[in-house]
């Protein structure tokens, strides 16, 4: 009786196991053949792929160009394709050798070691012209093709702007549940513009050369190679950015030369409020997650840059008496600690020399008049953000061109508005004050335009494959209150005095080829280096030419000692290089 019971249990177990195996086989071969597992793997296609060798000419993903139509990531390059079955057949290698200026011995040698299609281009010292490609294809040699192939630009620029892509099947299926045509290997945008415009950039179909092989890699259906191309006249799209490739290159070279390894810059066109260049350091490295962050859209301690806000508030509230003097021998708390010796200064010279006591005094007086005056003034200047372009784009009600941008903040606790020392520290851009370099650039552009506030654009258009317009990004106003034209005019004079005053913190720029207006900033970060030295964020922000503003520029170096900062030198070099560029 017991043995019969055991037999039934064991038999039931084996039947259940057999049933599971049969179900699994049916699931693989009959039920979910085109969408297997959470990744949505197309098993039919994968089985074909195992017997296929291919050369991808274009992955079908949309691309990015600068404002002049220059590619920012990929280039189309004439290339020679040789399929590996050539080493097993007789073919006119000498004729090809004469055309491509590569010895027949070298061509055969490279083929002998290849198990996959061989693609040769300029990096392999195979330099081909349009005419060469035509001649190669007229030879009609099976397995030999002259093609234009999309390939990455060797010296990439604007990496934090464009961002990166990667494979993530689960995110792909969650984000695009209706796109069953997408392979689980489809690249999706992870950062930057690749992330923001991902849905527009998704590929329709790859353009490729392919042929089928048996288990040993030999041609399965002869030596016929198929050309598969995307016939859609509208996709892939092109995202036309506002970036100027030449200026972006200059910006990256300058920061490299001045050894700004941690920080970056933002350069705006004052008239259009478009980003011409943006650089974030450290350089993007996929293997180091921390480098994926674009620091130009992340809040940082601004230091004395923030005194611009206090000055604007003082002007708006009538506290800018030109004859009033402040005792700049006192520290920010109004104490005499021997650290300051600037004597009695007017408001104008206090701003030029960045006297802390003047602006802590004004901040206290402003708070007495209006508890929210500091944050309201920062909003009027377009500082706090988010300031990147946002609006309705097709079914997106709040599409953001810079989705990683974070808002700045001023107060960590509302109770601090009643604490004198907290007000004083806030007035000079410390305590809990953090703003983005993008926001600071926008503030300077707003002042340069006389108080007119707009969202910042980094993309102008999305274009269809045939060049027609899919969507244009209009200039959007920032709807909050703004400073008066009179306030803007007074701020312009004060920012210019920072440079023209013999003791101004921006006096270095007196010799710039363009007249510069701006403000410096030094903010303690609360960190120390290995030698125990205090680390700072060092800033210079402004616009130029002063009399007819064209550019607004912010340069910041993070976590640096004051003596080592390359901020001012970088700003100076950018101004000089733009002057040279505009004279060409």
């Amino acid at each position: 009786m017991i043995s019969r019971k055991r037999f039934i249990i064991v038999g039931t177990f084996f039947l259940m196991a057999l049933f599971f195996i049969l179900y699994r086989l049916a699931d693989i071969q009959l039920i979910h053949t085109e969408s297997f597992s959470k990744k949505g793997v197309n098993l039919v296609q994968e089985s074909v792929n195992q017997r296929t060798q291919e050369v991808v000419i274009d992955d079908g993903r949309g691309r990015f160009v600068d404002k002049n139509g220059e590619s920012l990531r990929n280039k189309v390059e004439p290339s020679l394709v040789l399929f590996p079955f050539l080493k097993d057949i007789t073919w006119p290698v000498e004729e090809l050798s004469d055309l491509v200026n590569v010895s027949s011995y070298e061509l055969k040698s490279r083929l002998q070691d290849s198990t996959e299609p061989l693609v040769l281009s300029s990096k392999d010292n195979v330099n081909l012209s349009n005419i060469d490609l035509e001649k190669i294809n007229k030879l009609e040699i099976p397995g030999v093709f002259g093609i234009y192939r999309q390939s990455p630009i060797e010296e990439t620029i604007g990496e934090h702007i464009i961002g990166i892509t990667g494979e993530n099947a689960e995110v792909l299926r969650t984000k695009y549940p209706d796109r069953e045509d997408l392979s689980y290997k489809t690249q999706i945008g992870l950062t930057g513009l690749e992330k923001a415009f991902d849905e527009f950039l998704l590929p329709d179909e790859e353009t490729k050369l392919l042929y089928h092989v048996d288990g040993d890699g030999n041609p399965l259906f002869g030596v016929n190679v198929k050309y598969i191309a995307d016939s859609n006249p509208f996709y892939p799209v092109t995202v036309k950015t506002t970036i100027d490739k030449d200026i972006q290159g200059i910006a990256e070279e300058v920061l490299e030369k001045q050894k700004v390894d941690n920080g970056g810059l933002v350069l705006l066109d004052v008239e259009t409020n478009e980003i011409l260049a943006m650089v974030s350091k450290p350089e993007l490295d996929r293997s180091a997650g921390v480098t994926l962050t674009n620091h130009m859209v992340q809040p940082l301690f601004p230091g004395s840059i923030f005194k611009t806000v206090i000055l604007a508030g003082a002007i708006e509230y009538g506290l800018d008496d030109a004859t009033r003097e402040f005792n700049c021998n006192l520290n920010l708390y109004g104490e005499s600690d021997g650290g300051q010796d600037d004597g009695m200064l007017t408001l104008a010279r206090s701003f030029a020399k960045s006297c802390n006591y003047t602006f802590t005094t004004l901040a206290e007086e402003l708070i007495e008049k209006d508890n929210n005056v500091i944050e309201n003034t920062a909003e009027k200047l377009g500082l706090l953000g988010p300031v990147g372009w946002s609006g309705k784009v097709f079914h997106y009600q709040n599409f953001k061109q810079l989705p990683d941008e974070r808002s700045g903040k001023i107060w960590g606790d509302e109770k601090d508005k009643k604490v004198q020392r907290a007000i004083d520290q806030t007035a000079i851009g410390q305590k809990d004050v953090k703003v983005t370099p993008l926001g600071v650039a926008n503030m300077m552009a707003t002042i340069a335009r006389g108080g007119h506030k707009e969202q910042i654009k980094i993309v102008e258009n999305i274009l269809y494959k045939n060049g027609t317009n899919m969507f244009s990004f209009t200039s959007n106003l920032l709807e909050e209150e703004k400073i008066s034209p009179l306030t803007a005019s007074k701020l312009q004079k004060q920012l210019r005095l920072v440079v023209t005053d013999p003791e101004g913190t921006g006096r270095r720029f007196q010799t710039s080829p363009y007249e510069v207006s701006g403000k410096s900033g030094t903010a303690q970060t609360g960190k120390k280096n290995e030698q125990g030295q205090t680390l700072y964020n060092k800033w210079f922000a402004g616009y130029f030419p002063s009399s007819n503003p064209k550019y607004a520029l912010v340069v910041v170096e993070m976590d640096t000692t004051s003596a080592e900062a390359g901020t001012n030198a970088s700003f100076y070099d950018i101004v000089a290089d733009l002057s040279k560029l505009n004279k060409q």
Side-chain angles (χ1 to χ4, degrees):
M1 186 71 179
I2 294 175
S3 60
R4 183 181 178 187
K5 186 175 182 180
R6 287 178 178 173
F7 177 79
I8 293 172
I9 292 172
V10 172
T12 302
F13 173 79
F14 277 108
L15 284 173
M16 289 177 66
L18 181 61
F19 177 78
F20 176 78
I21 292 171
L22 290 173
Y23 173 78
R24 189 66 170 172
L25 288 172
D27 188 36
I28 293 171
Q29 296 189 14
L30 300 174
I31 303 173
H32 292 114
T33 56
E34 296 184 2
S35 182
F36 182 71
S37 81
K38 291 181 179 179
K39 292 185 176 181
V41 180
N42 188 323
L43 296 175
V44 176
Q45 185 61 48
E46 287 300 305
S47 67
V48 172
N49 291 343
Q50 288 182 348
R51 292 292 179 262
T52 302
Q53 289 193 350
E54 63 182 40
V55 174
V56 176
I57 299 172
D58 188 335
D59 66 4
R61 187 171 175 84
R63 50 202 46 103
F64 296 92
V65 298
D66 81 342
K67 63 183 302 174
N68 300 311
E70 292 286 325
S71 178
L72 291 173
R73 173 147 288 178
N74 296 316
K75 61 181 178 181
V76 178
E77 186 175 21
S79 304
L80 172 66
V81 179
L82 304 176
F83 280 81
F85 62 73
L86 287 167
K87 60 189 174 186
D88 299 318
I89 65 174
T90 300
W91 60 287
V93 63
E94 296 294 342
E95 288 186 53
L96 181 64
S97 173
D98 292 338
L99 271 179
V100 301
N101 200 27
V102 178
S103 71
S104 58
Y105 172 80
E106 185 175 350
L107 290 174
K108 287 180 178 179
S109 177
R110 292 194 182 193
L111 273 171
Q112 198 61 41
D113 298 328
S114 66
T115 56
E116 296 181 351
L118 188 64
V119 182
L120 304 175
S121 57
S122 57
K123 64 182 176 59
D124 306 295
N125 295 319
V126 177
N127 298 299
L128 303 173
S129 66
N130 300 348
I131 297 174
D132 292 334
L133 295 189
E134 290 180 13
K135 290 180 178 179
I136 290 168
N137 291 327
K138 281 183 179 179
L139 293 176
E140 296 185 348
I141 303 172
V144 177
F145 296 89
I147 64 171
Y148 292 98
R149 190 189 191 201
Q150 286 273 354
S151 61
I153 295 173
E154 292 179 10
E155 294 184 6
T156 56
I157 64 171
E159 290 194 316
H160 280 96
I161 298 171
I162 304 303
I164 62 172
T165 60
E167 291 181 15
N168 191 320
E170 291 188 24
V171 172
L172 177 70
R173 297 305 175 205
T174 301
K175 194 173 181 180
Y176 305 111
D178 298 329
R179 290 295 305 271
E180 295 181 0
D181 58 306
L182 295 175
S183 162
Y184 72 96
K185 293 182 179 180
T186 299
Q187 298 275 321
I188 57 174
L190 303 177
T191 66
L193 295 179
E194 290 280 14
K195 174 183 176 182
F197 289 82
D198 190 53
E199 184 169 352
F200 301 101
L201 299 168
L202 288 173
D204 207 31
E205 187 175 1
E206 294 177 332
T207 300
K208 56 191 175 182
L209 297 168
L210 61 83
Y211 81 113
H212 300 287
V213 297
D214 60 21
D216 297 322
N218 299 314
L220 193 58
F221 304 116
V223 291
N224 291 323
V225 176
K226 291 183 179 180
Y227 174 76
I228 298 177
D230 181 6
S231 59
N232 192 320
F234 299 108
Y235 294 91
V237 302
T238 295
V239 175
K240 186 179 181 182
T241 71
T242 64
I243 298 299
D244 186 304
K245 190 173 182 178
D246 292 336
I247 296 176
Q248 179 72 26
I250 287 170
E252 295 185 9
E253 288 174 8
V254 165
L255 291 188
E256 189 73 24
K257 181 178 71 173
Q258 297 300 342
K259 297 181 171 53
V260 177
D261 299 323
N262 193 21
L265 66 80
V266 179
L267 179 70
L268 300 182
D269 182 314
V270 169
E271 182 180 355
T272 62
N273 223 36
E274 295 175 345
I275 296 175
L276 297 173
M278 180 190 287
V279 186
S280 179
K281 295 283 190 174
E283 292 181 359
L284 193 148
D285 180 357
R286 294 184 70 117
S287 63
V290 68
T291 68
L292 300 181
T293 300
N294 183 351
H295 294 292
M296 299 303 96
V297 294
Q298 300 298 313
L300 306 172
F301 291 113
S304 292
I305 293 281
F306 194 71
K307 290 174 184 173
T308 309
V309 175
I310 305 302
L311 177 58
I315 296 170
E316 296 261 283
Y317 277 82
L319 300 179
D320 59 327
D321 183 349
T323 63
R324 182 182 179 184
E325 292 188 335
F326 300 84
N327 186 357
C328 291
N329 287 332
L330 304 179
N331 66 15
L332 72 159
Y333 303 120
E335 302 166 345
S336 179
D337 60 7
Q340 296 78 29
D341 61 354
D342 287 325
M344 302 300 293
L345 296 178
T346 62
L347 176 57
R349 295 211 68 215
S350 292
F351 189 69
K353 296 187 69 172
S354 205
C355 169
N356 286 338
Y357 177 66
T358 300
F359 291 91
T360 59
T361 301
L362 290 172
E364 292 169 17
E365 294 174 2
L366 285 168
I367 288 287
E368 288 181 7
K369 290 179 175 290
D370 182 347
N371 214 32
N372 301 316
V373 62
I374 296 179
E375 56 266 45
N376 288 345
T377 305
E379 289 283 3
K380 288 180 180 181
L381 290 166
L383 174 63
L384 293 185
V387 295
W389 194 98
S390 64
K392 185 177 180 180
V393 179
F394 298 120
H395 61 277
Y396 291 100
Q397 294 301 313
N398 190 31
F399 181 87
K400 295 180 179 181
Q401 290 191 357
L402 296 166
D404 296 326
E405 181 194 358
R406 298 292 174 260
S407 298
K409 71 169 186 174
I410 296 174
W411 303 101
D413 190 331
E414 285 290 309
K415 295 178 182 177
D416 286 344
K417 295 179 181 180
K418 298 180 179 179
V419 180
Q420 181 179 329
R421 285 190 168 242
I423 296 171
D424 294 343
Q425 292 168 16
T426 299
I428 63 169
Q430 294 282 181
K431 191 70 170 66
D432 297 308
V433 180
K434 283 191 174 184
V435 295
T436 67
L438 186 71
V440 174
N442 191 56
M443 176 176 71
M444 289 298 169
T446 298
I447 294 169
R449 285 192 300 268
H452 179 72
K453 290 193 305 179
E454 289 184 6
Q455 292 180 343
I456 292 174
K457 281 195 296 183
I458 194 169
V459 170
E460 293 180 4
N461 308 86
I462 305 174
L463 303 173
Y464 285 117
K465 181 180 180 180
N466 59 13
T468 58
N469 190 54
M470 177 183 186
F471 189 87
S472 292
F473 293 90
T474 58
S475 295
N476 288 350
L477 297 177
L478 286 169
E479 299 296 343
E480 303 88 359
E481 289 185 69
K482 59 184 181 180
I483 59 173
S484 69
L486 178 61
T487 299
S489 177
K490 289 185 176 182
L491 286 172
Q492 290 170 2
K493 292 177 182 178
Q494 298 280 19
L495 289 166
R496 179 62 182 149
L497 188 62
V498 170
V499 175
T500 59
D501 189 292
E503 297 179 292
T505 58
R507 59 188 178 277
R508 172 172 186 168
F509 303 107
Q510 291 174 4
T511 59
S512 291
Y514 283 134
E515 288 185 346
V516 171
S517 299
K519 184 73 184 79
S520 61
T522 302
Q524 293 187 18
T525 62
K527 304 175 187 177
K528 293 183 181 292
N529 62 14
E530 294 178 355
Q531 291 73 41
Q533 295 172 297
T534 300
L535 298 180
Y536 303 90
N537 290 340
K538 294 285 290 186
W539 299 72
F540 198 86
Y543 57 86
F544 53 94
S546 298
S547 57
N548 185 26
K550 181 175 176 60
Y551 303 105
L553 174 62
V554 173
V555 182
V556 58
E557 184 167 6
M558 307 184 307
D559 298 329
T560 181
T561 63
S562 186
E564 295 176 341
T567 308
N568 285 12
S570 297
F571 195 106
Y572 189 98
D573 286 353
I574 294 289
V575 175
D577 287 343
L578 285 175
S579 174
K580 292 177 185 175
L581 186 67
N582 290 332
K583 288 179 181 178
Q584 292 178 359

